[in-house]
């Protein structure tokens, strides 16, 4: 009997990790091998041009908005084991149906690209790096093919560096995102979890690696939010954009970059002002001109500074230097006049 009991215990211990893994997979948890390596500020002096690589593969949106129903139903069921198991299976099926519906409504939005564009604009504004426009990355066929390759080797990073003209790349991976309802005492919130890795293309050295998770509170009851999303999906997109903005801001903070001026990038910032400037759009246009060599890096910096001052409502006092025409040097002609006496008459000729 003791041998049989011992055998059962061993079997249970061996099956327990498999059960836990299956439950994590069923609940939508993603296992990742992303490690953390803090960024060292002294590395910034060696970074001149940077490209942000968005992920080629994205996870499905996770949706869990039935916490209220699950809580009440669980209480009413009581401590009975079989009804509790049946309820859990029913809740899991409902969550999968919700995820499928929300993903179908959100199909036209690539959250990885949207996040990289947001991060690109903030790095243009706040950092001293030369940032490759996201359009330049998607247009390059060689780089586009390498985006799908995992894992990338040193030769791949060097190829990307040569194609885009950069010395550093920042790879972004979307680990998970979606909408969750914590329970009856809390409002739903949007979540986003990304992995970031900064690599030097010359030797493949990892300069920074981190995982950033954030959530944005949705100021609406769960039932009202779901009904609103079914009527207008733009509400869902706005809530996802809010959490994207939070995570991109945190990226800059962990890189040691001052984010004091990022508030002027907000869509509602220019409302009520005399001069309405779509700063993200204007910055990207300037950056495209710089990358296409239509303007010099010096002109780009001056125009960006003037654009930021205009967006902040400051008076731009950048006067262009007037070109002064060169003064023509005239040859000085010395005219020798004849000697005159006190009477004004020319002197008499001398006799030697």
């Amino acid at each position: 009997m003791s041998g049989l009991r011992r055998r059962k215990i061993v079997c249970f211990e061996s099956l327990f990790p498999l059960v836990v893994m299956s439950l994590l997979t069923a609940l939508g948890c993603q296992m990742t091998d992303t490690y953390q390596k803090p960024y060292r500020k002294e590395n910034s002096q060696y970074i001149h041009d940077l490209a942000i690589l968005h992920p080629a593969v994205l996870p499905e949106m996770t949706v869990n908005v039935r916490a209220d129903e699950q809580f009440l139903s669980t209480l009413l069921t009581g401590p009975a084991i079989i009804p509790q198991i049946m309820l859990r299976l029913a809740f899991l099926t409902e969550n999968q149906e919700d995820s499928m519906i929300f993903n179908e409504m959100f199909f036209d939005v690539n959250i990885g690209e949207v996040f990289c564009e947001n991060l690109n604009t903030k790095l243009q504004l706040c950092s001293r790096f030369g940032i490759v426009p996201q359009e330049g990355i998607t247009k390059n066929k060689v780089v586009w093919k390498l985006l799908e390759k995992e894992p990338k080797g040193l030769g791949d990073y060097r190829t990307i560096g040569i194609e885009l003209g950069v010395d550093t790349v920042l790879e972004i991976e979307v680990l998970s995102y979606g909408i969750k309802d914590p329970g009856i005492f809390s409002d739903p919130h949007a979540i986003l979890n990304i992995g970031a890795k900064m690599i030097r293309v010359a030797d493949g050295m990892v300069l920074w690696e981190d995982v950033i998770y954030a959530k944005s509170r949705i100021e609406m009851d769960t039932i009202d939010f779901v009904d609103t999303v079914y009527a207008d999906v733009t509400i869902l997109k706005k809530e996802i954009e809010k959490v994207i903005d939070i995570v991109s801001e945190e990226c800059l903070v962990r890189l040691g970059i001052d984010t004091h001026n990022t508030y002027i990038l907000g869509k509602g910032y220019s409302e009520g002002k005399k001069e309405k400037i779509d700063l993200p759009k204007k910055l990207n246009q300037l950056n495209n001109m710089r990358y296409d060599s239509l303007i010099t890096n010096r002109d780009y910096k001056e125009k960006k500074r003037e654009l930021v001052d205009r967006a902040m409502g400051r008076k731009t006092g950048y006067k262009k230097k007037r070109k002064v025409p060169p003064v023509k040097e005239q040859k000085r002609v010395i005219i020798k006049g004849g000697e005159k006496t006190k009477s004004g008459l020319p002197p008499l000729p001398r006799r030697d």
Side-chain angles (χ1 to χ4, degrees):
M1 288 296 290
S2 61
L4 181 61
R5 187 177 300 173
R6 192 177 304 160
R7 196 173 299 167
K8 287 182 178 179
I9 293 172
V10 172
C11 291
F12 177 76
E13 290 178 351
S14 61
L15 288 174
F16 183 74
L18 296 176
V19 173
V20 172
M21 291 294 293
S22 62
L23 285 174
L24 288 174
T25 306
L27 292 174
C29 297
Q30 183 173 354
M31 308 300 289
T32 177
D33 57 351
T34 304
Y35 302 98
Q36 291 183 337
K37 182 179 181 180
Y39 183 77
R40 299 173 64 181
K41 289 186 178 181
E42 53 265 28
N43 290 330
S44 298
Q45 59 184 328
Y46 304 110
I47 301 174
H48 302 287
D49 296 291
L50 176 73
I52 306 173
L53 307 181
H54 65 80
V57 180
L58 293 174
E60 290 189 354
M61 179 192 301
T62 57
V63 180
N64 187 355
V65 291
R66 299 183 181 273
D68 301 350
E69 300 175 12
Q70 294 175 7
F71 179 74
L72 295 174
S73 302
T74 303
L75 286 179
L76 293 173
T77 305
I81 297 177
I82 295 177
Q84 289 285 353
I85 294 174
M86 298 299 293
L87 272 178
R88 289 296 173 186
L89 291 174
F91 294 154
L92 182 61
T93 304
E94 289 177 349
N95 288 334
Q96 289 176 347
E97 291 177 356
D98 292 335
S99 297
M100 183 180 64
I101 294 172
F102 272 65
N103 277 283
E104 286 179 356
M105 292 189 296
F106 207 68
F107 77 97
D108 60 334
V109 179
N110 187 326
I111 189 172
E113 289 185 4
V114 175
F115 176 81
C116 290
E117 288 171 1
N118 185 292
L119 181 60
N120 191 309
T121 304
K122 288 185 177 180
L123 282 171
Q124 288 178 56
L125 177 65
C126 301
S127 73
R128 65 168 190 81
F129 308 143
I131 312 298
V132 176
Q134 296 304 120
E135 294 86 349
I137 296 173
T138 54
K139 288 179 181 177
N140 192 302
K141 295 181 180 179
V142 177
V143 176
W144 183 260
K145 289 181 179 179
L146 289 175
L147 288 179
E148 300 177 352
K149 186 176 179 181
E150 285 295 337
K152 299 179 183 65
L154 178 58
D156 301 323
Y157 289 118
R158 285 180 176 175
T159 302
I160 292 173
I162 293 171
E163 290 289 330
L164 299 178
V166 298
D167 51 50
T168 312
V169 296
L170 177 58
E171 279 192 293
I172 300 298
E173 180 184 3
V174 179
L175 302 176
S176 62
Y177 74 104
I179 305 293
K180 285 190 177 181
D181 179 17
I184 59 176
F185 300 108
S186 303
D187 292 333
H189 53 247
I191 63 169
L192 175 61
N193 190 22
I194 66 110
K197 184 190 291 186
M198 182 179 283
I199 301 165
R200 190 164 58 195
V201 299
D203 54 5
M205 181 179 178
V206 177
L207 303 177
W208 173 57
E209 190 170 7
D210 214 336
V211 176
I212 302 175
Y213 171 85
K215 60 183 180 180
S216 174
R217 180 171 169 267
I218 301 171
E219 298 179 356
M220 198 182 302
D221 292 337
T222 305
I223 297 175
D224 294 338
F225 173 71
V226 174
D227 293 340
T228 306
V229 169
Y230 283 141
D232 185 9
V233 73
T234 56
I235 302 298
L236 175 62
K237 294 179 179 179
K238 288 180 180 178
E239 297 299 335
I240 295 295
E241 286 177 357
K242 287 181 183 178
V243 73
I244 284 175
D245 194 62
I246 295 171
V247 176
S248 62
E249 191 95 355
E250 183 62 23
C251 273
L252 267 66
V253 171
R254 297 194 186 186
L255 287 171
I257 298 173
D258 185 10
T259 61
H260 180 70
N261 292 331
T262 54
Y263 68 94
I264 63 178
L265 296 172
K267 293 183 178 179
Y269 173 75
S270 61
E271 292 180 0
K273 293 192 175 183
K274 293 181 179 179
E275 189 175 9
K276 294 184 178 181
I277 301 175
D278 189 350
L279 190 57
K281 182 179 179 181
K282 295 289 185 182
L283 276 176
N284 290 326
Q285 288 176 351
L286 270 180
N287 198 25
N288 279 316
M289 293 175 67
R290 177 196 67 84
Y291 190 69
D292 293 336
S293 300
L294 298 177
I295 58 175
T296 62
N297 289 337
R298 183 177 179 181
D299 290 338
Y300 165 76
K301 291 178 181 178
E302 290 180 356
K303 291 181 181 296
K304 183 179 76 171
R305 185 175 58 177
E306 185 176 354
L307 184 63
V308 170
D309 284 346
R310 284 173 53 201
M312 288 183 170
R314 299 173 183 168
K315 292 182 180 180
T316 55
Y318 306 110
K319 296 181 180 179
K320 295 182 178 179
K321 295 181 180 180
R322 295 180 181 178
K323 291 184 178 181
V324 180
V327 179
K328 294 181 179 179
E329 293 184 1
Q330 296 181 352
K331 292 182 179 180
R332 295 176 64 185
V333 179
I334 299 174
I335 301 175
K336 293 182 179 181
E339 296 179 4
K340 293 183 180 181
T341 60
K342 293 181 179 180
S343 61
L345 298 174
L348 295 173
R350 293 182 180 181
R351 291 181 183 178
D352 296 327

